[in-house]
Amino acid sequence: MSASSGPEFPQRALDWLSGGRAGAGDRVLTLGCAPGFCRMLSRRGVDLFAIHREPEIAARCNQMPATTGICALAESLPLDPCSVDAVLIHQSFDRMAPGLVLSEIARVLRPSHCVGVSWMTRDGSVPWVRRLTALLRSVDPSAMSGDYGTDSVDSLLSSKYFPTTEQSRHRIWVPVSRQGLVEMATSLPGIRRADEQQRTELVQRVEQLHDDSAGPGGLLLPYQLECWRAWVSHDELTASIQVDDAGLRIRL
């Protein structure tokens, strides 16, 4: 569930995720990220390579400044060894094969650089959000629940290619209007399948919840941004990485 304006990715979190390697002139690789995340990076002036398995998304990324959109699999990267300063994966690590992708990420990262993995999820610890959840589940028991994919990060934390890992969390508050909260609630598939009377009653209760919970500045919807970064070690790669600075010489 997201607010109408959507949560913005904090710049301080991006700096932390990349190990400070997401600034002007840095070479950054994204894997399976949405165009909005890639656009945020392109605006920072990085030399961006956006890998996505969907041709349409790769093509959209390719239209962004200083960005090369590539349709490819994260498990088989068309990049040279030790060629990128940071690898960033937002909301998509759970869709990759860890046994293949982690060695590929290690291969393309420069020594002592890191991969950053992140997820933006709804923060259900705030009292009014818990009340909203209870309201929605009175109509749809599965509302506001599900697997966000964060469990998949365990494969990164235990990887021999990334022996040093760190974690950080950021809470993000997004304004949501009365109408916006109603639209969020009624857009859920289980709520849409309910009969008209149930939806009408639910809308009234959601509106009342908004009015009861909103302060002088309105109502703020909380999100939790969970971030992990892991520093690469090339010691465990099956073959040593050798980069020939002289390039390929062809005698004529």
Side-chain angles (χ1 to χ4, degrees):
M1 179 180 291
S2 61
S4 56
S5 58
E8 293 186 5
F9 203 102
Q11 295 299 311
R12 69 184 184 280
L14 186 60
D15 290 332
W16 185 90
L17 267 178
S18 65
R21 306 279 185 176
D26 288 323
R27 195 176 225 202
V28 177
L29 171 65
T30 61
L31 301 180
C33 296
F37 185 84
C38 298
R39 188 173 296 107
M40 173 185 64
L41 283 164
S42 72
R43 290 170 178 165
R44 290 172 66 108
V46 305
D47 183 11
L48 181 62
F49 289 83
I51 299 286
H52 206 286
R53 66 178 62 209
E54 298 295 334
E56 297 82 2
I57 296 180
R60 287 175 62 186
C61 292
N62 202 50
Q63 302 301 314
M64 299 174 190
T67 301
T68 302
I70 304 172
C71 182
L73 297 177
E75 294 85 353
S76 182
L77 297 173
L79 296 173
D80 292 332
C82 300
S83 60
V84 299
D85 296 303
V87 177
L88 296 175
I89 308 171
H90 182 57
Q91 305 286 87
S92 59
F93 185 68
D94 57 316
R95 298 193 291 273
M96 300 172 188
L100 299 175
V101 74
L102 291 174
S103 60
E104 275 293 270
I105 293 172
R107 181 182 67 82
V108 301
L109 269 172
R110 289 177 175 140
S112 302
H113 290 212
C114 70
V115 56
V117 177
S118 58
W119 275 274
M120 189 91 70
T121 60
R122 172 188 48 81
D123 186 349
S125 65
V126 176
W128 80 260
V129 178
R130 292 201 298 266
R131 291 170 57 198
L132 175 64
T133 300
L135 279 177
L136 297 178
R137 288 182 181 173
S138 67
V139 178
D140 175 15
S142 66
M144 295 179 73
S145 63
D147 179 11
Y148 293 106
T150 53
D151 289 346
S152 64
V153 80
D154 289 344
S155 63
L156 173 64
L157 302 181
S158 61
S159 172
K160 62 185 179 181
Y161 305 114
F162 298 93
T164 303
T165 60
E166 299 170 285
Q167 183 178 6
S168 69
R169 291 186 175 90
H170 307 263
R171 177 174 278 180
I172 303 167
W173 298 92
V174 179
V176 59
S177 66
R178 192 174 192 252
Q179 183 59 33
L181 190 64
V182 169
E183 291 176 355
M184 288 163 51
T186 55
S187 67
L188 298 174
I191 304 301
R192 291 201 304 266
R193 291 192 296 268
D195 60 50
E196 185 175 352
Q197 181 177 349
Q198 283 183 308
R199 289 197 303 271
T200 300
E201 292 176 354
L202 178 66
V203 166
Q204 293 172 348
R205 297 173 71 185
V206 170
E207 289 175 337
Q208 187 62 52
L209 172 63
H210 177 278
D211 296 343
D212 292 342
S213 305
L219 191 63
L220 298 176
L221 180 63
Y223 286 84
Q224 184 90 347
L225 176 62
E226 295 189 77
C227 303
W228 293 264
R229 65 181 179 186
W231 304 90
V232 70
S233 170
H234 290 146
D235 295 341
E236 294 293 339
L237 292 176
T238 55
S240 60
I241 292 179
Q242 297 180 347
V243 180
D244 185 1
D245 293 334
L248 176 65
R249 295 183 179 180
I250 302 176
R251 298 183 181 275
L252 300 177

